Amino acid sequence: MNCKLFADRFKPLTDPFSSKNLIIFGTGPLVGTIVPGSSRTVAISKFPATGAVANSCGSMSFAFNLKQAGFDHIIITGKSEKPVYLHISDDHVELSKAKVIWGKDIVETTNFLKKKHGSSGVIAIGQAGEKLVKSSMTLIDKTSTLGRGGLGAIMGSKNLKAILTQGTKGIPIAELKKFNKLYKNLIERIRKYPHRDSWIELGMLRSLPVGMLLTAKGQKKKARQCSDRMYLKKMKKRRIACPSCPMADKDILEIREGEYSGLINYTSSIINPLMMFIVDGLDTYDQAIKAFDLISRYGLDSLTMTALFEFISKMNEIDLLTNEELGFEWKRDYKTFNHLIEITAKREGFGDILADGWKKLAEQNKTFSNEMLTVKGLDVIFEPRFLRLGTMEFEQVVNPKGAHVASGGSPTYVGAGGTLDKMKSHFNRMGIPETAFSRIFDPPKKGMGVNVGRLTRYSEDWYTVLTSLGLCARAQMNRFFSLDLVTDLYNLITGFNLHQEELRLSAERSWNLLKLMNLKEGFSRKDDKFPNGWFKPLKMGENVLKFQDFYGEVIITQDIANELLDDYYDERGWDKQNSYPTISKIKALALEKYF
Amino acid sequence: MVKSKLIEIIIHEERCTGCRICQLICSSIYKNKYSPTEAFIQIVDAYELIPKISFLDGCTHCGQCVNYCLYGALELKEGEE
Ligand code: SF4
Ligand code: SF4
Ligand code: SF4
């Protein structure tokens, strides 16, 4: 729905910072209800880091409140003369002066607005958004990130500091009795899930034990600092949940000792600061949390800042980026990391270049782009030389947005190391048609087991189904859903009578529409490019890791990578030469109007 | 702590995640819609360091919110008649 609203109003090739660029915030039809994990906010816009039209998702209580106020979408266009924030409280919709919060960080802004207006959902930008830093994001309720790739800057360009939603209208259910029965079954399944307690206790640390990564790097001392025990004893303050979620994983952290004792940080997951800790240069866990807190307050992206720190450190070590060019003495340490954050958020000195993103940085030296681990101007999140090539890693290459985590319910994760039968049951859950199975199990090289290119198409569709309904796609929540079940939930809540195939088709339609919009922005197959660095070995402590398929049987070469891309386009019904959707695909999806 | 003739609900605020499932259940039973602000149980400062949980007049002590709170923030204790 968000995609269509955008496509109907957006003029191709509009500059991301033009007043004519739009931001559309959307909620799904299940948002505001008790359906587990139904609290997602989706924002679509043309993003400055990449120049792509893209969706971005977040959670916490913004969409929930918007829906309770009686709205499904907010369309933001134009530009305010002076800083403002948008206040929506049931039927009361008002742009209010934001003079006192302009220049303040996200935490201060959110606290101020919640104190002033009471219980609400708040999306806010920090100083980085105000300064149009192209990697700036927004935070929902100072916790959940929304808008990797510059949503903060787009709001900043419109002088829109924040949006606050409050709703008291309530949401009626079409078939309450039947719905209650279904809900009861679902919640009992969740209650009985044997790993639920440990998920709640450890949050995302359960899914990605950072200590293991550090151990692989040979850094046992650092690894010990982020064990489960240390997390519980020294970092975790409180677990919080998005409205309706029985599998909460959001963190309120507290540093209890040392220099930063007393620091409180809200984060969508403990993994965020701990992933920063992996980088060489941060020595203690509390440095990582402190630096992460600063990044969050400014509204920067912790992944991008960490990748920049790593990149500049490397380039500085081999004299490709000297201290003179940087304007200060570079060291791989905490102090320098902090300085990097400050100058980027404020656009000071070399920070002005960094604030314009990877593309601008690449212009500084011809060799840089070869060394950067980016796709379409966004730094990659999942490193396939460590994790191997699953759908999440592959999706980063083909996602119209650029390197991004959008292929929820990645079967290569759920089936990790498992049998192909396990994968099949997972495919059924996602609603992958049986006719596609034989193609998915036919990879370019024997031994690879699955064809990640073909499978990614279905991962994207499944993710889009969940997102468009407003459902959480995180693994621990996603695992309880199936296409059958979410269709039933949708029908009982709305009173419609949709077939699951129609739901799947509408997800496919919206993905194709997104693709079409980006073709008009000039993207094509040439931009779906595997970073060169992936084909080189990665040194991790004593280990040398190579780019391997998901089962670790085959080394991925450029040729195999190209074949996987061919297969992905083929499975999507797109032309292999330029990645355009074919005429027959456009017709089948009734998208002629947008071609 | 709220006492009634039949049941007693013990509140463990430190375990509350602010998920509002209790409010959604209560309002669906008594108002036929999902409307946390109209529930007989109120969660204030859901995302602050310590949320505040209270029961409003009108609460029938049916215990359904306790039943569906999956985080152990609400606990049912048999009271004396
Ligand atoms: S799993 Fe996490 S992100 Fe998803 S709904 Fe629950 S708290 Fe929110
Ligand atoms: S009391 Fe229980 S159900 Fe209610 S908000 Fe807190 S954790 Fe959720
Ligand atoms: S005990 Fe029953 S009436 Fe009272 S708040 Fe809970 S669900 Fe509502």
Side-chain angles (χ1 to χ4, degrees):
Chain A
M1 201 51 208
N2 242 34
C3 258
K4 182 182 155 39
L5 288 173
F6 192 85
D8 287 341
R9 288 166 178 78
F10 179 78
K11 193 162 164 270
L13 301 175
T14 301
D15 185 88
F17 293 146
S18 148
S19 64
K20 297 209 172 77
N21 190 14
L22 303 156
I23 314 170
I24 304 185
F25 294 94
T27 68
L30 304 189
V31 174
T33 73
I34 201 167
V35 174
S38 58
S39 48
R40 288 182 105 198
T41 305
V42 183
I44 184 168
S45 190
K46 179 168 166 179
F47 282 74
T50 54
V53 172
N55 280 310
S56 219
C57 300
S59 51
M60 295 300 281
S61 76
F62 179 85
F64 184 86
N65 271 289
L66 183 65
K67 207 54 188 275
Q68 289 282 344
F71 295 94
D72 289 306
H73 299 272
I74 309 173
I75 301 177
I76 310 268
T77 179
K79 175 184 172 157
S80 167
E81 287 274 307
K82 295 210 168 116
V84 289
Y85 69 92
L86 175 61
H87 178 198
I88 299 176
S89 178
D90 288 344
D91 295 333
H92 174 92
V93 178
E94 187 186 358
L95 281 170
S96 308
K97 279 189 199 142
K99 199 172 161 203
V100 289
I101 41 177
W102 196 257
K104 298 266 189 266
D105 72 38
I106 293 186
V107 175
E108 291 165 334
T109 301
T110 307
N111 288 347
F112 175 87
L113 291 175
K114 288 205 183 206
K115 197 164 172 214
K116 183 168 174 190
H117 296 288
S119 178
S120 51
V122 173
I123 292 180
I125 66 167
Q127 296 93 331
E130 294 175 14
K131 291 269 184 199
L132 309 188
V133 176
K134 290 188 178 176
S135 60
S136 61
M137 305 201 283
T138 74
L139 289 184
I140 308 179
D141 296 339
K142 60 187 176 183
T143 306
S144 167
T145 55
L146 174 73
R148 178 169 151 80
L151 183 66
I154 307 170
M155 281 178 65
S157 75
K158 298 187 178 306
N159 273 324
L160 181 60
K161 179 70 179 172
I163 308 176
L164 177 135
T165 52
Q166 301 176 294
T168 65
K169 290 188 176 174
I171 293 170
I173 302 300
E175 305 258 9
L176 190 58
K177 264 209 180 120
K178 283 189 194 159
F179 174 82
N180 278 342
K181 212 173 141 206
L182 198 59
Y183 177 72
K184 218 173 150 192
N185 284 337
L186 175 57
I187 215 75
E188 286 315 315
R189 269 174 61 214
I190 296 175
R191 207 196 286 267
K192 286 189 191 132
Y193 176 46
H195 303 300
R196 183 173 175 272
D197 286 351
S198 69
W199 265 110
I200 307 297
E201 187 181 34
L202 298 174
M204 292 295 278
L205 197 55
R206 199 183 174 282
S207 71
L208 198 113
V210 181
M212 254 171 61
L213 261 155
L214 283 163
T215 309
K217 280 182 87 179
Q219 301 179 338
K220 290 206 181 107
K221 214 171 134 202
K222 274 177 86 169
R224 273 197 295 274
Q225 289 188 52
C226 37
S227 65
D228 296 353
R229 203 176 61 91
M230 288 293 278
Y231 161 67
L232 296 172
K233 205 172 145 210
K234 303 211 165 174
M235 304 173 216
K236 181 176 170 185
K237 172 81 176 172
R238 207 188 131 201
R239 175 74 62 230
I240 49 175
C242 301
S244 80
C245 178
M247 292 296 295
D249 61 358
K250 307 276 187 210
D251 274 286
I252 302 181
L253 304 174
E254 181 187 35
I255 300 181
R256 302 205 174 84
E257 56 191 28
E259 202 182 339
Y260 313 114
S261 174
L263 181 137
I264 298 280
N265 172 262
Y266 284 62
T267 174
S268 61
S269 118
I270 174 68
I271 294 299
N272 298 327
L274 291 188
M275 284 306 279
M276 291 175 54
F277 188 45
I278 289 175
V279 85
D280 293 342
L282 297 183
D283 299 324
T284 56
Y285 75 93
D286 56 340
Q287 286 180 344
I289 296 179
K290 173 75 180 160
F292 175 76
D293 189 63
L294 189 64
I295 287 174
S296 305
R297 285 172 177 271
Y298 280 143
L300 290 168
D301 181 335
S302 66
L303 295 166
T304 300
M305 292 316 295
T306 310
L308 277 173
F309 180 73
E310 184 66 34
F311 180 78
I312 298 174
S313 296
K314 273 198 185 142
M315 295 303 106
N316 186 261
E317 274 154 28
I318 52 175
D319 279 337
L320 280 179
L321 192 52
T322 61
N323 291 344
E324 285 76 64
E325 286 167 285
L326 286 164
F328 57 96
E329 193 191 345
W330 187 270
K331 276 196 187 144
R332 224 187 223 281
D333 64 9
Y334 172 65
K335 209 174 136 214
T336 308
F337 201 144
N338 264 323
H339 186 62
L340 176 74
I341 297 166
E342 295 281 350
I343 60 170
T344 308
K346 296 174 184 161
R347 281 187 175 272
E348 287 169 2
F350 196 75
D352 196 35
I353 291 171
L354 300 175
D356 277 333
W358 290 99
K359 286 184 179 172
K360 182 81 179 179
L361 185 56
E363 289 168 13
Q364 309 306 308
N365 187 316
K366 270 195 286 209
T367 53
F368 281 1
S369 62
N370 219 11
E371 300 291 331
M372 286 174 177
L373 294 176
T374 57
V375 180
K376 304 182 184 86
L378 270 189
D379 38 287
V380 298
I381 300 169
F382 295 102
E383 170 53 75
R385 287 169 293 176
F386 182 70
L387 300 163
R388 301 189 183 154
L389 185 66
T391 47
M392 304 272 250
E393 292 72 27
F394 182 83
E395 220 269 325
Q396 302 179 103
V397 178
V398 292
N399 193 308
K401 178 172 188 169
H404 190 56
V405 238
S407 80
S410 177
T412 49
Y413 278 70
V414 176
T419 59
L420 295 183
D421 275 347
K422 222 170 155 188
M423 287 246 184
K424 271 189 198 162
S425 82
H426 196 71
F427 293 177
N428 284 325
R429 187 171 76 78
M430 292 162 66
I432 302 181
E434 297 228 353
T435 49
F437 285 19
S438 59
R439 295 194 299 276
I440 295 173
F441 289 120
D442 182 20
K445 268 234 154 41
K446 245 183 130 186
M448 288 172 78
V450 286
N451 187 318
V452 169
R454 295 198 182 270
L455 185 52
T456 295
R457 177 233 142 134
Y458 296 102
S459 269
E460 288 169 345
D461 284 353
W462 172 234
Y463 170 88
T464 310
V465 166
L466 294 176
T467 306
S468 53
L469 293 174
L471 295 176
C472 174
R474 283 199 174 173
Q476 77 270 29
M477 202 59 256
N478 182 330
R479 68 187 315 287
F480 296 106
F481 296 130
S482 64
L483 186 60
D484 270 0
L485 176 64
V486 298
T487 311
D488 287 346
L489 290 168
Y490 174 82
N491 285 334
L492 294 177
I493 281 180
T494 59
F496 292 147
N497 190 15
L498 206 69
H499 189 269
Q500 64 172 63
E501 182 53 22
E502 293 173 85
L503 196 58
R504 201 197 54 72
L505 210 66
S506 73
E508 191 187 352
R509 184 177 299 121
S510 85
W511 198 269
N512 275 269
L513 184 52
L514 198 63
K515 181 74 183 177
L516 284 176
M517 285 194 271
N518 281 299
L519 294 173
K520 289 181 193 166
E521 298 300 321
F523 290 90
S524 69
R525 175 162 181 158
K526 68 179 187 325
D527 302 290
D528 292 350
K529 194 170 173 303
F530 284 73
N532 286 336
W534 284 2
F535 299 99
K536 296 178 204 161
L538 173 72
K539 229 179 148 271
M540 236 182 153
E542 298 289 291
N543 309 313
V544 177
L545 306 174
K546 289 192 178 149
F547 189 15
Q548 285 176 306
D549 79 295
F550 180 66
Y551 286 98
E553 299 283 340
V554 175
I555 302 284
I556 307 286
T557 59
Q558 189 72 60
D559 285 343
I560 297 180
N562 279 333
E563 263 185 77
L564 288 171
L565 277 178
D566 283 348
D567 289 342
Y568 169 78
Y569 299 133
D570 183 60
E571 201 63 39
R572 275 245 164 259
W574 295 352
D575 181 273
K576 287 182 200 169
Q577 295 292 316
N578 47 30
S579 81
Y580 286 32
T582 55
I583 302 286
S584 57
K585 182 52 90 184
I586 302 277
K587 280 197 177 139
L589 295 172
L591 286 172
E592 292 94 332
K593 186 179 151 198
Y594 302 98
F595 192 47
Chain B
M1 198 190 287
V2 175
K3 289 197 177 193
S4 83
K5 274 195 208 141
L6 296 171
I7 61 159
E8 207 176 281
I9 296 174
I10 305 176
I11 298 172
H12 302 281
E13 283 164 337
E14 74 289 353
R15 295 187 196 157
C16 174
T17 59
C19 74
R20 300 183 180 278
I21 294 176
C22 52
Q23 297 185 298
L24 292 163
I25 279 288
C26 181
S27 62
S28 77
I29 299 171
Y30 297 102
K31 310 281 168 172
N32 273 317
K33 56 182 174 173
Y34 291 116
S35 184
T37 51
E38 293 176 81
F40 296 127
I41 175 169
Q42 285 302 309
I43 315 288
V44 179
D45 293 341
Y47 298 141
E48 292 311 311
L49 295 183
I50 301 180
K52 296 183 199 80
I53 304 175
S54 59
F55 291 87
L56 305 184
D57 289 349
C59 163
T60 66
H61 309 285
C62 69
Q64 284 306 316
C65 52
V66 180
N67 210 356
Y68 281 93
C69 172
L70 267 67
Y71 296 103
L74 305 172
E75 194 190 336
L76 212 63
K77 205 173 147 196
E78 295 298 322
E80 296 131 41
E81 185 99 26

